[in-house]
Amino acid sequence: MIRYKNDRLAVEDVSAEALARRFGTPLYVYSQAEILARYAALRKAFAGALICYALKANSNRAVCGLLRARGAGADIVSGGELARALACGFPASRIVFSGVGKTEEELSSGLKAGVLTFNVESFEELRALEKVARRLRRPAPVSVRLNPDVDAGTHPHITTGRADNKFGVEEGEALAMFERADQSPWLRVKGLQFHIGSQIETLAPYARAAASAARLVARLEEKGIKLELLDFGGGFGVSYRGEKTLEVGALARTLRKALAPWPQARLLIEPGRWLVADAGALLTRVLYKKTTSRRRFVVVDAGMNDLARPALYGAWHPVVAARRRRGKTMKADVVGPICETGDYLARQRALPPLEAGDLLAVLKAGAYGFSMSSQYNSRPRAAEVLVAGRKARLIRRRETIEDLVRAER
Ligand code: LLP
């Protein structure tokens, strides 16, 4: 829960100002209660389903650990995420391995670990997995990722279910892959997956994708191929600007309806953003103000290396002052120190009059914030803090200058 208390922004019971003073800025802060409330809401809506948290949204082990301890599984897309998930205690039997370009090495680590299933995205990957399984003398669990050619209506960079996207395979190809997997002694047919995009705000694309998945399941049944898992991905949209967005209860009902003919199949979902976006904020201090004949700028100490979403997708995040002031506002661009014009956190935003040293918070930054941050411009990555009630815990220390050059020779 991140909100104002007596005009001071607070993460649960700790003021943003106190956090910034104690841990420095730029700083990622997360509310534990918010993450747990979101997870509980999803559990309620999707009772009986396996919820595999998409680690990429926020892969800090303390954050993942909160969900793992409450029964969540993990959706991973790399050997690195596999190692993280295992280190953080996710049982392999609750890990699904997604991704369009898994290497043989990654397939092999996943198989050795005993993941629940591989979401396979091409015929060639299926062959590679079979080869790895034969080498390890251990049959591999296979789900095929369907590309249902559905427009999820999201930013083009994060739409994944169209025939012109690199993800998944079309129905005919999927059918052939299932038949191949069914016949191979080294492959075990497990399920069907789709993931059509991220930050999806309406039900219709899910309904269309689920209908196309149901058609495929029916065709498989005619061939005697039964599925245990139906994985309908993630992508559940959150409200960044207070807009109306997806209601998870309605979404669960829609997805379940498509599954009704196959009561033996378990529903699996892979939410990332929905669980953690609202729980996080990026705290940053004002360094300077400046104006040109056309524009007013507030230069802050966080940049596109800390939060890439505005630069990358034109994403809109609320930016607020840690100390609320009423009365007059001015329009300004909130920009970072990086040497690119695309380095902004907000554009033409109404803000109270600000001075150097004032603290700002970029809200709803818990998903794809830190996890997409970089060291561009040789900036050490920010620290991360998890707040529970009155307790604030450093869950990742701020990087140092030594960290920047450590791997170089
Ligand atoms: N499953 C798969 C196979 C995925 O590729 C993704 C996200 C998810 C689940 C979780 O999607 P979510 O529930 O978080 O929407 N960096 C972008 C978002 C990229 C999403 C990539 N795939 C952003 O900041 O908006």
Side-chain angles (χ1 to χ4, degrees):
M1 322 285 159
I2 302 182
R3 58 179 165 231
Y4 284 104
K5 284 187 178 166
N6 303 324
D7 289 338
R8 298 276 194 277
L9 190 72
V11 184
E12 302 198 14
D13 300 327
V14 188
S15 78
E17 186 59 57
L19 290 167
R21 256 192 246 127
R22 178 164 161 209
F23 299 102
T25 55
L27 180 70
Y28 272 100
V29 294
Y30 309 117
S31 156
Q32 174 167 321
E34 178 75 39
I35 297 172
L36 297 184
R38 286 287 180 137
Y39 181 65
L42 214 52
R43 278 257 293 245
K44 191 161 163 237
F46 285 91
L50 179 55
I51 301 178
C52 288
Y53 170 58
L55 247 59
K56 63 172 83 65
N58 184 326
S59 48
N60 187 294
R61 283 179 295 170
V63 170
C64 300
L66 294 174
L67 300 169
R68 191 264 305 142
R70 284 152 186 88
D75 167 58
I76 58 161
V77 290
S78 67
E81 285 191 349
L82 173 65
R84 254 179 207 283
L86 294 172
C88 143
F90 284 98
S93 60
R94 275 194 255 136
I95 298 177
V96 294
F97 205 151
S98 304
V100 72
K102 307 176 201 73
T103 62
E104 283 192 14
E105 201 184 333
E106 288 172 318
L107 292 170
S108 156
S109 337
L111 190 55
K112 282 188 198 144
V115 297
L116 174 60
T117 192
F118 292 92
N119 291 325
V120 177
E121 303 216 18
S122 63
F123 219 117
E124 297 202 354
E125 185 193 342
L126 189 70
R127 283 198 202 98
L129 182 59
E130 188 179 31
K131 190 168 120 198
V132 167
R134 187 181 306 118
R135 194 168 61 223
L136 295 177
R137 318 219 60 80
R138 185 169 175 165
V142 172
S143 298
V144 175
R145 177 166 178 178
L146 174 69
N147 181 322
D149 194 21
V150 161
D151 184 359
T154 69
H155 187 282
H157 289 186
I158 52 177
T159 271
T160 53
R162 299 297 311 274
D164 34 21
N165 303 141
K166 67 178 173 180
F167 297 99
V169 295
E170 289 171 286
E171 196 173 319
E173 179 102 343
L175 209 56
M177 285 167 67
F178 276 116
E179 286 180 324
R180 169 65 183 267
D182 190 47
Q183 283 152 17
S184 166
W186 298 110
L187 300 172
R188 298 268 182 277
V189 172
K190 199 79 186 170
L192 174 65
Q193 184 227 15
F194 67 71
H195 170 78
I196 51 177
S198 193
Q199 185 56 18
I200 301 173
E201 296 174 351
T202 56
L203 285 177
Y206 283 104
R208 276 200 290 278
S212 121
R215 222 175 23 245
L216 179 54
V217 181
R219 285 181 72 184
L220 288 169
E221 268 205 332
E222 286 164 18
K223 296 181 183 293
I225 301 176
K226 279 209 162 36
L227 305 183
E228 281 166 48
L229 277 179
L230 292 178
D231 176 349
F232 289 172
F236 316 164
V238 302
S239 174
Y240 283 101
R241 302 185 75 152
E243 70 275 34
K244 207 169 150 304
T245 180
L246 212 60
E247 201 266 296
V248 289
L251 176 63
R253 285 190 294 280
T254 301
L255 296 184
R256 277 192 202 294
K257 210 152 71 205
L259 295 183
W262 302 283
Q264 83 287 353
R266 186 159 192 208
L267 174 62
L268 192 153
I269 51 171
E270 306 170 349
R273 183 193 316 266
W274 200 87
L275 289 168
V276 292
D278 283 48
L282 172 61
L283 305 184
T284 179
R285 282 207 195 273
V286 175
L287 295 173
Y288 306 108
K289 297 170 301 181
K290 62 190 281 184
T291 45
T292 69
S293 54
R294 300 217 196 101
R295 212 87 159 178
R296 194 178 268 125
F297 295 97
V298 176
V299 184
V300 299
D301 67 1
M304 65 190 281
N305 73 297
D306 299 298
L307 180 64
R309 303 194 69 255
L312 210 49
Y313 319 112
W316 194 100
H317 284 263
V319 176
V320 300
R323 193 162 60 80
R324 181 149 64 180
R325 268 148 291 180
R326 287 165 220 278
K328 100 170 192 282
T329 60
M330 51 165 201
K331 269 213 172 124
D333 287 11
V334 180
V335 299
I338 301 279
C339 304
E340 297 204 19
T341 296
D343 176 32
Y344 71 95
L345 298 175
R347 278 189 168 148
Q348 293 300 284
R349 208 58 76 74
L351 292 164
L354 294 166
E355 294 302 331
D358 282 348
L359 187 66
L360 296 179
V362 184
L363 303 180
K364 298 175 185 281
Y368 305 107
F370 184 88
S371 66
M372 292 180 77
S373 67
S374 77
Q375 298 172 328
Y376 186 41
N377 275 205
S378 286
R379 288 166 50 81
R381 266 180 289 239
E384 294 176 285
V385 167
L386 183 65
V387 177
R390 288 158 54 191
K391 283 229 296 279
R393 181 160 68 95
L394 185 67
I395 55 171
R396 192 179 205 273
R397 67 161 172 79
R398 184 174 303 286
E399 287 183 351
T400 62
I401 301 295
E402 297 76 70
D403 290 329
L404 296 179
V405 293
R406 177 153 297 151
E408 291 172 21
R409 293 289 178 272

